[in-house]
Amino acid sequence: MTLKISPLAPHQAASCLPLFQAYLAFYHVEQAAADCQAFLEARLSHHEARLWLAEDAGVAVGFALMYPGFNSLTLKPNWLLHDLYVAPEYRGSGVSKQLLQVCQAHVLALGGGDIMLQTAHDNSKAQRLYERNGFVLDTDFRVYYWDGKGS
């Protein structure tokens, strides 16, 4: 395997589209391809996200998508690693680890900060990956959501 991981520019978002939709399907979410592409292009165009694509011999095999923010407690940048996905036939080959390390290197290159992520409770493979790469399970804070749809 000859893995190449590159950041994507807005006009390159379509190259990640099949993987992005497979990621959504993994979480039982369906979105139209055109909507997904417009979403990714907008986030990248407005510098609201950073997207890396992993390719093996020109074939897209995985991606990582992070959103920037800030941490008031540390007074440093905080990145949300929202999406990390590797095509099923490439799982276990180290692609996810390399994508994760690219994300970590990006944060360090910008002067530091932290990366926050979440995964499904039953996604033990992802949990092991994150823990092997220095991430620790948060035992101090609960995560809550508000969907904006009202009560």
Side-chain angles (χ1 to χ4, degrees):
M1 177 170 62
T2 307
L3 193 66
K4 176 184 170 191
I5 299 177
S6 306
L8 293 184
H11 70 278
Q12 299 170 308
S15 61
C16 187
L17 207 48
L19 289 171
F20 188 76
Q21 288 192 283
Y23 166 81
L24 294 177
F26 179 81
Y27 284 104
H28 310 289
V29 173
E30 237 182 271
Q31 299 285 357
D35 292 341
C36 291
Q37 184 171 340
F39 175 82
L40 292 173
E41 287 175 355
R43 299 294 70 73
L44 296 172
S45 293
H46 295 107
H47 306 286
E48 297 170 339
R50 193 74 179 173
L51 176 61
W52 290 271
L53 183 65
E55 297 176 292
D56 179 24
V59 175
V61 300
F63 75 92
L65 177 62
M66 289 202 315
Y67 299 104
F70 296 94
N71 184 332
S72 300
L73 300 177
T74 64
L75 306 180
K76 292 187 177 191
N78 169 269
W79 289 83
L80 174 60
L81 176 52
H82 201 277
D83 311 319
L84 178 67
Y85 182 80
V86 173
E89 60 272 22
Y90 282 86
R91 293 180 187 157
S93 67
V95 174
S96 57
K97 179 179 180 177
Q98 289 183 55
L99 281 164
L100 189 59
Q101 290 173 340
V102 165
C103 293
Q104 291 171 310
H106 175 71
V107 171
L108 292 174
L110 293 176
D114 55 70
I115 299 174
M116 193 167 116
L117 60 84
Q118 59 189 23
T119 191
H121 290 287
D122 63 352
N123 194 346
S124 57
K125 285 185 180 185
Q127 293 165 21
R128 283 193 304 276
L129 167 73
Y130 300 138
E131 290 168 4
R132 282 193 309 261
N133 285 277
F135 287 80
V136 294
L137 179 63
D138 189 329
T139 57
D140 295 327
F141 298 98
R142 290 181 184 254
V143 176
Y144 290 91
Y145 290 96
W146 178 72
D147 66 9
K149 295 178 184 172
S151 303

